[in-house]
């Protein structure tokens, strides 16, 4: 059926079993750099094709939306004046509801230098992070004691590796037990600082040994490390930190599937983590279909300084926020929280184009597209929300949630021309290239 050029495409949003009063609406228009604006100006008189939300269909609970707090990010935040730093952290972790963070075990590539917490054997110390990362985490926990912190090593101490280098190489099998004990010591030492490590992945991007720091760890290697060393060490020491595997791109879901096929390794594993620099976000659902008892997490996606603000915002909302949760992810985490105007700090060989959610120049703070991508969900969908079943027509992306307070939240993205939706007798017009949050 063809429409006349000026005729509106109409979408009917049907919510069976729901009774609700006037909704609250928040509109984001990335081209205008206008975000989360409460509005009453979207009412219309039309209804059409159905968009269905099924409250009887419930899926995963949400652990949260957030960022990676790299050492470089923490360094920049910590040097802010105390009142400015306190206001920023309250904005991020109080007002806007960030409920999950990813941090490095030792240096990430967005730290000023490469280090581990045991650069010399039997000389373990958190000292390299006591000037910035640890105090910033302590301030965040004071604001949100329930925040979930996921830790990830970019590399073990170099003396445990076959190339004795922070870049590339692999973990020597003779050090599997030593490395497992190192990770256990790290979790216990952080606990003494008042920082609970909720989850751990054994290796960041294990199939990308070209970063600095980095390490290659095949699925077979990670399987053996978990079942012979990491899992038993955690069990023996009664460490409750979740073990989450893989932590790399969606083009190799078999990495996680094969590991979880191992009966000895899988008993220690909570779930699998993914990035989206290659592959399709539907890979998460492939892993869920193969191992429905294991959880899924989305843990990293960068924005670069060469990117387009509107294009980045819309792509990430579609794939990282809506795409990840609609494919069973319990988290959606963007890459680094903050950088300086030169896209540092970073290690020699680390990312030189990574654009943080914040740019911090001395005492000046600016907010970039990644900030708004995460806030699009974090402001409205708190930890503990349950994803609901949803059916959408072509041209619309959406996700539905039931919050702990009982309210229903719909995140509805329109990448094309303006469209109308209807919630029972209530008709709403969604502007072109926008994201609408509906709270019922």
């Amino acid at each position: 059926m063809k429409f006349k050029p000026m005729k509106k495409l109409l979408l009917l949003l049907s919510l069976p079993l729901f009774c609700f009063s006037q909704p609250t609406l928040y509109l984001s228009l990335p081209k205008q750099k206008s975000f989360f604006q409460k509005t009453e100006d979207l009412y219309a008189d039309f209804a059409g094709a159905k968009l269905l939300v099924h409250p009887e269909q419930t899926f995963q609970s949400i652990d949260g939306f957030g960022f990676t707090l790299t050492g470089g990010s923490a360094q920049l935040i910590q040097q802010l004046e105390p009142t400015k730093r306190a206001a920023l952290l309250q904005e991020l972790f109080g007002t806007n509801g960030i409920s999950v963070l990813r941090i490095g075990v030792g240096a990430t590539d967005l730290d000023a230098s490469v280090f581990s917490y045991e650069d010399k054997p039997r000389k373990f110390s958190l000292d390299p992070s006591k000037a910035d990362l640890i105090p910033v985490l302590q301030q965040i926990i004071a604001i949100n004691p329930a925040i979930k912190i996921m830790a990830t090593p970019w590399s073990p101490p170099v003396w445990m590796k076959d190339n004795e280098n922070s870049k590339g190489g692999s973990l020597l099998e003779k050090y599997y037990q030593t490395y497992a004990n190192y990770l256990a010591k790290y979790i216990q030492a952080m606990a003494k600082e008042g920082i609970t490590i909720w989850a751990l992945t054994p290796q960041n991007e294990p199939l990308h040994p070209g970063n600095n720091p980095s390490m290659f760890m095949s699925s077979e290697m990670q399987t053996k490390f978990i079942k012979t060393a990491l899992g038993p060490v955690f069990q023996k020491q009664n460490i409750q930190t979740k073990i989450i595997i893989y932590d790399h791109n969606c083009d190799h879901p078999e990495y996680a599937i094969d590991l979880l096929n191992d009966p000895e390794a899988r008993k220690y594993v909570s779930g699998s983590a993914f990035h989206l620099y290659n592959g399709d976000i539907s890979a998460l659902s492939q892993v869920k279909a193969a191992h429905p008892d294991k959880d899924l997490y989305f843990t990293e996606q960068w924005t670069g300084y060469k990117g387009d603000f509107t294009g980045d915002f819309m792509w990430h909302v579609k794939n990282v926020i809506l795409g990840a949760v609609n494919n069973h992810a319990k988290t959606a985490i963007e890459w680094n929280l903050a950088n300086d105007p030169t896209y540092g700090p970073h290690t020699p060989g680390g990312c030189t184009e990574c654009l943080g959610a914040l740019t911090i120049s001395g005492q000046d703070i600016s907010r970039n597209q990644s900030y708004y991508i995460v806030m699009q969900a974090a402001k409205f969908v708190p930890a503990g929300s349950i994803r609901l079943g949803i059916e959408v027509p072509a041209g619309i992306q959406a996700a539905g949630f039931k919050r702990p307070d009982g309210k229903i939240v719909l995140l509805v993205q329109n990448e094309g021309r303006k469209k109308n939706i209807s919630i029972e007798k209530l008709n709403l017009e969604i502007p072109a290239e926008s994201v609408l949050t509906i709270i019922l």
Side-chain angles (χ1 to χ4, degrees):
M1 178 179 180
K2 294 183 178 179
F3 293 97
K4 294 180 181 179
M6 296 302 293
K7 184 158 183 167
K8 296 178 179 178
L9 177 62
L10 307 175
L11 307 174
L12 174 63
L13 177 57
S14 175
L15 297 169
L17 307 182
F18 282 144
C19 295
F20 59 91
S21 57
Q22 194 82 344
T24 307
L25 308 176
Y26 298 88
L27 181 65
S28 292
L29 298 167
K31 272 193 173 179
Q32 288 91 329
K33 295 190 177 178
S34 172
F35 295 95
F36 329 126
Q37 296 300 304
K38 191 173 183 180
T39 180
E40 296 181 357
D41 297 333
L42 300 180
Y43 300 111
D45 300 316
F46 306 94
K50 293 182 179 181
L51 191 159
L52 299 173
V53 175
H54 299 289
E56 75 283 2
Q57 295 178 4
T58 57
F59 296 94
Q60 78 276 20
S61 62
I62 299 300
D63 286 326
F65 304 90
F67 300 98
T68 302
L69 180 66
T70 61
S73 297
Q75 179 182 331
L76 294 168
I77 292 169
Q78 184 65 7
Q79 59 82 38
L80 291 170
E81 297 169 353
T83 54
K84 185 166 288 190
R85 181 172 67 247
L88 175 64
L89 294 178
Q90 181 64 41
E91 173 190 334
L92 295 170
F93 300 98
T95 307
N96 287 329
I98 293 173
S99 55
V100 64
L101 276 177
R102 184 171 176 246
I103 62 173
V105 181
T108 72
D109 62 304
L110 293 184
D111 278 71
S113 62
V114 175
F115 62 88
S116 76
Y117 294 126
E118 197 170 335
D119 286 338
K120 293 182 180 180
R122 296 177 297 280
K123 299 288 185 182
F124 182 91
S125 175
L126 293 178
D127 284 354
S129 296
K130 286 189 174 178
D132 38 52
L133 180 63
I134 287 172
V136 171
L137 284 170
Q138 290 167 335
Q139 293 165 73
I140 290 167
I141 291 166
I143 295 168
N144 180 7
I147 194 160
K148 292 179 168 66
I149 298 170
M150 177 184 290
T152 300
W154 265 240
S155 173
V158 298
W159 53 270
M160 298 185 191
K161 299 171 72 176
D162 58 10
N163 67 347
E164 296 186 347
N165 196 297
S166 61
K167 182 177 179 179
S170 292
L171 180 65
L172 288 165
E173 195 167 330
K174 68 179 181 179
Y175 287 124
Y176 276 17
Q177 192 75 22
T178 304
Y179 189 41
N181 285 325
Y182 166 86
L183 294 170
K185 280 190 287 187
Y186 163 76
I187 291 168
Q188 291 160 347
M190 291 293 273
K192 290 178 181 177
E193 299 290 339
I195 300 165
T196 299
I197 302 301
W198 160 70
L200 175 93
T201 68
Q203 175 60 41
N204 173 64
E205 298 193 338
L207 302 180
H208 175 40
N211 202 355
N212 187 26
S214 63
M215 185 177 75
F216 177 78
M217 182 181 263
S218 68
S219 180
E220 294 79 11
M221 292 173 178
Q222 193 164 121
T223 300
K224 190 169 186 178
F225 174 62
I226 290 170
K227 73 180 181 180
T228 65
L230 187 64
V233 164
F234 277 22
Q235 186 175 65
K236 183 178 180 180
Q237 299 189 31
N238 197 30
I239 291 173
Q240 301 301 308
T241 301
K242 295 177 184 290
I243 297 173
I244 298 174
I245 61 170
Y246 188 39
D247 209 5
H248 206 173
N249 286 328
C250 288
D251 57 344
H252 288 293
E254 73 279 0
Y255 188 114
I257 292 171
D258 290 347
L259 194 158
L260 291 171
N261 285 340
D262 186 289
E264 287 302 308
R266 79 182 318 275
K267 69 183 182 181
Y268 299 112
V269 173
S270 173
S272 310
F274 286 85
H275 308 175
L276 191 55
Y277 302 113
N278 287 304
D280 188 271
I281 195 66
S282 62
L284 279 69
S285 286
Q286 293 180 44
V287 178
K288 191 68 173 177
H291 295 282
D293 60 324
K294 299 299 182 182
D295 291 327
L296 279 301
Y297 304 86
F298 191 91
T299 50
E300 183 186 310
Q301 198 69 24
W302 82 316
T303 52
Y305 78 86
K306 297 178 182 177
D308 171 72
F309 188 103
T310 299
D312 284 350
F313 177 84
M314 295 297 279
W315 188 93
H316 283 244
V317 168
K318 179 179 180 179
N319 291 283
V320 174
I321 303 298
L322 301 177
V325 298
N326 282 333
N327 283 280
H328 306 283
K330 292 170 69 66
T331 63
I333 302 173
E334 288 273 304
W335 182 212
N336 64 312
L337 179 54
N339 58 254
D340 66 23
T342 65
Y343 311 104
H346 59 75
T347 63
C351 183
T352 60
E353 298 183 7
C354 290
L355 180 64
L358 308 170
T359 298
I360 299 178
S361 178
Q363 299 300 308
D364 296 326
I365 304 168
S366 57
R367 291 153 183 80
N368 304 315
Q369 47 264 51
S370 188
Y371 172 93
Y372 297 102
I373 291 161
V374 169
M375 297 312 172
Q376 186 65 55
K379 282 178 69 70
F380 306 108
V381 185
S385 297
I386 304 294
R387 180 171 70 91
L388 302 177
I390 193 166
E391 295 178 51
V392 298
I396 289 287
Q397 290 78 42
F401 308 89
K402 185 174 183 179
R403 301 196 312 201
D405 65 4
K407 291 186 179 295
I408 302 300
V409 177
L410 306 177
L411 302 180
V412 182
Q413 181 184 36
N414 177 24
E415 293 183 287
R417 63 180 183 174
K418 69 181 178 181
K419 300 176 175 68
N420 283 48
I421 64 172
S422 297
I423 305 174
E424 294 186 354
K425 296 180 180 180
L426 179 68
N427 303 316
L428 300 170
E429 181 177 85
I430 306 181
E433 295 185 275
S434 68
V435 179
L436 180 63
T437 302
I438 305 168
I439 301 177
L440 303 173

